Amino acid sequence: MTAPRLEIDLEKIHHNARTLVERLAERGISITGVTKATLGSPDIAATLLRAGVNALGDSRIENIEAMRRAQVQALMTLIRSPMISQADRVVMHADISLNTEIDVISNLSSAAQKARRTHGVVLMVELGDLREGIMPGDLEDMVRKTLRFPNITLKGIGTNLACRSGVSPDAEKMAELSALADSIDATFGSKLGIVSGGNSGNLQWALRGADTGRINDLRLGESLLLGRETLQRQPIDGLHTDAITLIAEVIESKPKPSRPWGKIAQTAFGEMPPATDRGHISQTILALGHQDTDPCGLIAPPGIEILGASSDHLITNSGRSGLSVGAEITFQLNYSALVRAMTSPFVAKVVLSQISV
Ligand SMILES: *Cc1c(COP(=O)(O)O)cnc(C)c1O
C-alpha cells in the first residue's frame, strides 16, 4: 500500500467520542467536536456526530465549507475569530463564530443582513493564556454593543486556555467564567445559552468531579482523535491513543557509526548534529520528513529510536532488529504531527473501518 499514509480507525474515534460524551453528560457538559486537525474530513465529522457530539467546530471556514459540501448535517461553529475579508462566507456556512472584536461583529451583521440570515456570536474572554479574548472588564460593554447589531444573536461566552502560554483551565478559572456568565445574565436580564469552558486541556478539571458551575460546553479535538488530555498529554482512561497512526516505509538500512565524521557545520534545518559516540548502530532511513509531518511529534514503536529528520528523511536507530528496505513502521502522533500529516499532500489518508452505528 502507498506510504506515507495516515490510517484512520473510525471505530476507535467513535469509541473515544462516545466515552467522553457520556462522561461529560454526567457533568452537565456537551461537546463541540473540533475537526480542524482533520481537514474537514466528512468521515470523521459524521463519526463524531454519531457518537453524540452536539456540534462541530473548526478554525477554518474552508473546512466548514468542505463539510457542508459533503452534506454533513450539524450545527457548525467557526472557532477562530473571523477575518473581516471572509465575513460573507462565515455567515453563509457557519451558524456561530467565536468573536472578540466589535468591527468583526459589525461586518458579520452587515453580511448576515445581506444574506437574510442570522448569525450566532459567542464572545471569548481572556482569562490569562494571552491568546484570543476580551479582557473581563470590557465584557459587559461588548455584550451591550453586540446585542444592538441586527441579524446577530448573542449565543454565549467562552474562553480558551492552555494553548499559547499553557495556563491551566482549573477550578479557579472556570469559576471566574461562571461568575462572568452570572453577572452578564443579571445585568441584561437574559440567560446565556452557551458557556464554553475550553478545549481538551479542560478534561482534568471536567472529569475530576468538582462543581462545573455554568460551564455547559467544551470544544474538544485532540482528546477525541488521539485519546489524550493536553495539560500533561497523558492517555485518558479507557480511550484509544492509536485511532490515527502514521505509516512510513524504510528506504535505507545499514550498520553505520553513530557519529558523523569530517568538519562539522550547520545541518539542513540549522540543528547541531549528534555528538555522542555510541559505536555502530542499525541506522534505518524512512521516506518521511518535515514535508509530511512534524518529526518531533512522532511516537516510535518500542525498539525504534528517532535520531533526526530533514525535509524528506527520517533517521532512526532500529536497534538489533535491523529493519529491511521496504518494511513499514507505524508511528503514533501528537497533535502537531497529526495536523501536519493531515494537511500534507504527500500523505495518503486511509479510512480503516466504517462505523456501523
Ligand atoms: C483548537 C481549538 C480547540 C480544540 O483544542 P483541542 O486541544 O484539540 O481539544 C478548542 N477551541 C479553540 C478556540 C481552538 O482553537
Side-chain angles (χ1 to χ4, degrees):
M1 208 189 265
T2 179
R5 66 181 182 275
L6 282 168
E7 290 191 346
I8 302 164
D9 190 327
L10 295 180
E11 300 254 15
K12 288 183 177 173
I13 293 174
H14 183 271
H15 169 86
N16 285 355
R18 183 80 213 150
T19 304
L20 287 177
V21 163
E22 283 168 2
R23 288 186 195 165
L24 289 174
E26 288 168 22
R27 324 273 310 121
I29 294 174
S30 58
I31 298 179
T32 296
V34 173
T35 50
K36 70 184 179 209
T38 74
L39 213 53
S41 154
D43 284 325
I44 295 177
T47 301
L48 297 179
L49 288 165
R50 262 177 258 167
V53 307
N54 195 44
L56 297 176
D58 205 291
S59 49
R60 308 268 170 166
I61 194 64
E62 292 82 354
N63 290 348
I64 288 178
E65 288 168 347
M67 291 189 284
R68 293 284 190 216
R69 275 197 303 277
Q71 313 288 327
V72 175
Q73 306 283 336
L75 185 79
M76 292 196 200
T77 300
L78 182 68
I79 62 170
R80 183 173 70 181
S81 183
M83 288 184 242
I84 287 175
S85 59
Q86 295 185 332
D88 289 325
R89 294 166 71 180
V90 173
V91 301
M92 193 58 74
H93 300 288
D95 303 290
I96 296 175
S97 55
L98 307 186
N99 281 269
T100 63
E101 292 283 356
I102 209 68
D103 282 350
V104 174
I105 298 170
S106 168
N107 277 271
L108 291 171
S109 170
S110 307
Q113 284 173 270
K114 221 170 32 176
R116 298 177 191 282
R117 301 171 78 94
T118 55
H119 184 71
V121 161
V122 168
L123 293 176
M124 294 296 277
V125 187
E126 174 65 74
L127 291 182
D129 199 51
L130 294 179
R131 205 179 73 177
E132 74 274 36
I134 300 152
M135 292 300 284
D138 299 330
L139 182 62
E140 193 180 308
D141 186 47
M142 273 292 279
V143 168
R144 186 168 289 113
K145 288 178 175 148
T146 301
L147 290 171
R148 288 197 199 118
F149 283 110
N151 298 53
I152 293 291
T153 316
L154 179 65
K155 290 288 188 184
I157 63 172
T159 195
N160 195 68
L161 294 160
C163 270
R164 182 193 159 194
S165 314
V167 172
S168 294
D170 55 12
E172 201 178 316
K173 297 288 186 193
M174 291 301 102
E176 200 179 340
L177 189 65
S178 283
L180 284 167
D182 287 342
S183 141
I184 295 297
D185 285 355
T187 307
F188 295 93
S190 57
K191 185 140 171 113
L192 290 172
I194 300 171
V195 183
S196 189
N199 51 49
S200 299
N202 286 61
L203 285 172
Q204 282 191 359
W205 162 80
L207 297 173
R208 201 176 283 143
D211 181 13
T212 49
R214 289 286 303 272
I215 314 303
N216 60 12
D217 172 76
L218 288 180
R219 309 171 307 272
L220 302 182
E222 182 164 350
S223 50
L224 304 180
L225 301 175
L226 298 176
R228 291 174 192 268
E229 57 80 37
T230 52
L231 295 184
Q232 264 80 44
R233 293 251 148 44
Q234 292 304 307
I236 299 168
D237 228 17
L239 265 55
H240 299 290
T241 58
D242 61 350
I244 306 178
T245 54
L246 181 60
I247 288 112
E249 185 176 324
V250 175
I251 53 171
E252 184 189 294
S253 186
K254 295 182 192 303
K256 285 194 184 182
S258 49
R259 238 172 74 167
W261 64 94
K263 189 159 165 268
I264 307 291
Q266 277 197 3
T267 66
F269 281 79
E271 306 140 21
M272 295 307 286
T276 49
D277 191 355
R278 301 153 64 187
H280 271 62
I281 57 168
S282 294
Q283 181 176 293
T284 300
I285 302 182
L286 297 155
L288 187 74
H290 287 275
Q291 296 204 73
D292 308 287
T293 189
D294 175 3
C296 300
L298 297 175
I299 304 158
I304 292 180
E305 181 193 1
I306 297 170
L307 299 175
S310 58
S311 53
D312 309 288
H313 296 80
L314 187 78
I315 323 297
T316 68
N317 175 8
S318 57
R320 265 191 233 133
S321 51
L323 291 157
S324 51
V325 172
E328 291 188 337
I329 299 183
T330 300
F331 296 89
Q332 291 191 37
L333 309 101
N334 76 4
Y335 196 65
S336 166
L338 175 64
V339 169
R340 193 97 72 83
M342 273 284 183
T343 51
S344 170
F346 300 109
V347 178
K349 286 87 190 171
V350 180
V351 172
L352 281 190
S353 55
Q354 291 299 335
I355 55 159
S356 47
V357 190

